[in-house]
Amino acid sequence: MFRRITVLLLALSLVVGGTSCSAPDDGTSTADALAKALTSHTVGDLSFDKPSADVQKELTEISKGIDPVWPTAAVSGVVITDDTARVSLNYTWKLPDVDKAWTYATGADMKRDGKNWVITWSSEMLQPELKPGERLAISTTNGKRAGILSADGQAIVKDRMVQIVGINKDGLTDAQAAASAKALAAVLEIDPAAYAAKVKAYGAVAFVDAITLREEAFNALDKDKLNAVEGILVTRDTMPLAPSRTFASAILGSVHEATAEDIEKSKGKIVAGQIIGSGGLQAAFDAQLAGTPGITVSAVPAATADTATASAEATGDAGTSPTDAEAPPRPLFIVEPVDGKDVKTTLVPGIQTAAESALDDVKTPSSIVVMRPSTGAILASANGPDSAGYNTAFLGQYAPGSTFKMATSLALLRTGMGPTSTVSCTPEFTADGKKFLNAPGYAPEATGEVSLTTAVAHSCNTAFVSQFEKLSQDNLADAAGALGIGMENDLGLDAYMGNVPRDSKGTEHAASLIGQGKVQVSPLAMATMMSSMVKGTAVTPVLVDGHDGKAKLAAGAALTTKEAGDLRILMRAVVTDGYLSTLADLPGSEAIGKTGTAEFGTETPPRTHSWVIAAQGDIAVAVFVEDGDLGAITGGPLAKAALLAAK
């Protein structure tokens, strides 16, 4: 019993002795805790020379103008002199869109309080140049947005004069501002409820923009009605714009000043006042065009920082930093902006304008694509007014009708046929129980046993459908692939290059031979097909100079020079003996082409897509009209206009 008590007393004395011998904090633990607190800007239960709640409030205020950006702090050393210590701190800031971090060293002072340490609070422990009462603020400076260039390097999109129309709320009551918003919306034909809400949300003294208009659009407004709006204000500015509102709009896209929604979605990458791309190349190449924004971190007086925050909350323009003229911000760190880089396209403005003009009166979705077969350059891509901004030329998915007979002809050539080979053109042909007919008004002299050339020139449906048991769907798909249909290629914009299903059978397979069934293409795909037959090898379309589309052709044997030559013989006959005689008098080299009409819908008689593909020299065109007449009637004149414009 005595021995057990002795052992317990010895053990207790060791525990007590060990505790009494433990070394007091040498400052390292407190310094590490301080670094963690500064990184999280939450002081927790650290001891300061002033109430922790006051320190926390000041720390929060300092960070408010720069939130959510904040640095990490790390201890690089602690030097103790008697009862004081100097903590060396290293800071690292990772700022938005800045590759190189902002780093610097500063320090903090501590005093010993028994076994613990009390930290002397100072704003300098955050940034050595930050003075008492100052706050941090971050601002973004955008470089000059680059332009979109034409094939000859001239600017298509460049700074052009605009008029910004809105209401100046200064001096208006809430009721007057609301009435003015409604009146202005009526003049501008914009959503009155949305604009009234925007006007209400802005501060009491603010200019609230309603719309930005080109000069010609502004000049067309009723000035008497405009000037009658109380508080009306119009300011002049410039924006990067194309020559006209409609010029290649589906290709180019547009730009606008960042909205609150844009800013929120970007998670700090976009700031108020920034011009951003919307749709087309402006959006697809936004980072290249915009360049890299510059960043400035400044020390600002508390009043200035508070004003900036209040303004941002009132206007919804997060990131703006109005400054006090008496106490301007002191820059602590600056990264200069980098201007954007131009995007050079293959577009030729004269051809683009002519193609758009040719479609002006077409009252259905339509498009014209003009390509240079030798390079694949897209010289023009126009969509008619009734496409309503949709990129029909690139994204439309339609049955190609008889223009697809050129792919079928290639498949037949690969079975051993030639331009003079004989095929049977009968008034009707039944394939797997379905009756196929020729187009109304088909020339009777082109029926019977005719050459493949005649069948193409007059577009004999039955001659091609009659081959449905001899020509497999796989072979048809291979032939189409050799002409560029179904290729994978990144143009820089989304584009549909067509599809020829390999599993079509029976009636569906027979219909595929004349470009119906489930065969689908875009106007761009058909311009590519025409270009491939001109060049003698599959052509990859190109829209942006220097942009690698990483093209990959659909499976199948490549087009040969001999095959392409035979296809051109067939298409020349369409001009000399068939439906495209309108191209026969074009000056210059011989024109070639093919018409097409594809039925769609459930009406009787069915409505029809109108197609023409044509070429002359090193120019290839594809014309599409969604609801048209026979290809030669609707598309022929449009194709001729495009070829003439491209000379």
Side-chain angles (χ1 to χ4, degrees), residues 134-465:
E134 288 185 327
R135 307 291 185 252
L136 291 173
I138 188 169
S139 60
T140 302
T141 305
N142 296 306
K144 181 177 175 57
R145 189 175 181 88
I148 298 179
L149 311 182
S150 62
D152 62 0
Q154 298 301 306
I156 297 176
V157 175
K158 59 183 179 182
D159 283 344
R160 301 176 195 272
M161 192 63 64
V162 294
Q163 302 278 7
I164 305 172
V165 184
I167 291 173
N168 180 11
K169 293 180 67 176
D170 189 13
L172 299 182
T173 65
D174 289 346
Q176 289 172 324
S180 293
K182 182 178 179 180
L184 182 57
V187 176
L188 299 175
E189 298 182 351
I190 62 175
D191 184 341
Y195 185 54
K198 183 177 180 180
V199 169
K200 183 178 180 180
Y202 272 54
V205 182
F207 170 63
V208 188
D209 60 295
I211 196 170
T212 300
L213 297 171
R214 292 172 178 267
E215 290 274 78
E216 59 270 23
F218 175 76
N219 292 335
L221 293 176
D222 187 323
K223 297 302 188 298
D224 290 337
K225 291 182 179 179
L226 191 67
N227 293 329
V229 177
E230 191 172 11
I232 183 69
L233 181 62
V234 180
T235 62
R236 291 168 66 88
D237 202 350
T238 60
M239 287 189 73
L241 298 171
S244 69
R245 182 180 60 82
T246 59
F247 184 92
S249 58
I251 295 291
L252 300 177
S254 61
V255 296
H256 65 273
E257 188 171 324
T259 64
E261 183 179 4
D262 294 324
I263 294 166
E264 182 180 355
K265 286 183 177 179
S266 75
K267 297 181 179 179
K269 291 186 177 181
I270 296 173
V271 298
Q274 186 172 340
I275 299 299
I276 61 174
S278 177
L281 296 174
Q282 290 285 7
F285 290 83
D286 188 64
Q288 176 179 332
L289 291 164
T292 304
I295 294 287
T296 301
V297 180
S298 302
V300 298
T304 302
D306 293 343
T307 301
T309 301
S311 174
E313 291 174 351
T315 65
D317 291 336
T320 57
S321 299
T323 58
D324 185 342
E326 297 180 359
R330 291 188 303 103
L332 303 175
F333 178 73
I334 299 175
V335 175
E336 297 294 343
V338 177
D339 291 344
K341 294 182 180 179
D342 293 331
V343 171
K344 185 181 179 184
T345 72
T346 57
L347 297 177
V348 177
I351 303 175
Q352 179 71 30
T353 299
E356 291 177 0
S357 297
L359 296 174
D360 274 346
D361 297 326
V362 179
K363 304 303 181 183
T364 183
S366 57
S367 70
I368 296 175
V369 178
V370 184
M371 287 180 63
R372 190 177 301 284
S374 60
T375 62
I378 299 169
L379 308 182
S381 179
N383 297 293
D386 276 28
S387 287
Y390 184 70
N391 196 354
T392 302
F394 280 21
L395 300 175
Q397 299 184 27
Y398 301 98
S402 291
T403 54
F404 191 72
K405 288 173 183 172
M406 300 317 302
T408 309
S409 294
L410 174 58
L412 292 174
L413 292 175
R414 289 179 169 182
T415 67
M417 283 191 181
T420 60
S421 297
T422 301
V423 291
S424 180
C425 180
T426 55
E428 62 182 54
F429 184 88
T430 300
D432 197 38
K434 178 178 174 59
K435 184 184 294 184
F436 290 84
L437 304 173
N438 292 318
Y442 185 85
E445 65 272 17
T447 58
E449 299 300 306
V450 300
S451 69
L452 181 60
T453 299
T454 298
V456 170
H458 292 273
S459 204
C460 180
N461 289 337
T462 60
F464 286 90
V465 173

Side-chain angles (χ1 to χ4, degrees), residues 61 91 296 302 400 459 463 520 547 572 582 628 642 645:
E61 289 298 318
Y91 278 84
T296 301
S459 204
Q520 289 197 314
H547 179 73
R572 177 58 182 167
T582 185

